[in-house]
Amino acid sequence: MGAIIQFAPLVLIFVLFYFLMIRPQQKRMKEHQATLKALKRGDEVVLSNGMVGKVTRVEESEVMVDIAQGVSVRVVRSMIADVRNRTAIAANDKG
């Protein structure tokens, strides 16, 4: 009985660690993968280095992104940090 009581805090710490750290990270990762799979031409994306551009071509593992007028770059899909809605209003254009 004493051994079970000694291991109870370790088990409790592991359970808390799972629910506070591991599970939310897995959920966020699944959402990001679903967002990347739904990527389409015309979407505005934020790359992992902070550049913002518009998707012009979507391939299986790479995406062509216009980052400036006449400047297109090939980007690996996993390096896209965020996908913005193309109908979203810019923050400085509101009201």
Side-chain angles (χ1 to χ4, degrees), residues 22-93:
I22 297 171
R23 192 166 175 244
Q25 181 63 28
Q26 288 176 342
K27 185 178 178 184
R28 202 173 311 128
M29 193 170 155
K30 285 181 184 178
E31 289 173 358
H32 186 255
Q33 288 175 350
T35 302
L36 292 180
K37 284 183 182 178
L39 196 63
K40 61 186 179 297
R41 186 175 180 210
D43 286 347
E44 189 173 316
V45 295
V46 179
L47 303 179
S48 61
N49 62 1
M51 288 186 184
V52 178
K54 191 173 242 183
V55 175
T56 58
R57 189 173 76 202
V58 179
E59 295 175 3
E60 189 172 323
S61 63
E62 294 179 348
V63 177
M64 286 294 274
V65 178
D66 277 346
I67 56 174
Q69 189 173 11
V71 180
S72 293
V73 292
R74 252 177 36 199
V75 178
V76 177
R77 227 182 238 250
S78 61
M79 291 294 110
I80 295 175
D82 190 24
V83 178
R84 295 182 178 177
N85 191 354
R86 60 183 144 155
T87 59
I89 300 171
N92 60 356
D93 290 343

Side-chain angles (χ1 to χ4, degrees), residues 4-19:
I4 295 173
I5 293 174
Q6 288 179 347
F7 286 113
L10 292 174
V11 172
L12 181 65
I13 290 172
F14 178 75
V15 169
L16 284 173
F17 185 75
Y18 175 77
F19 281 108

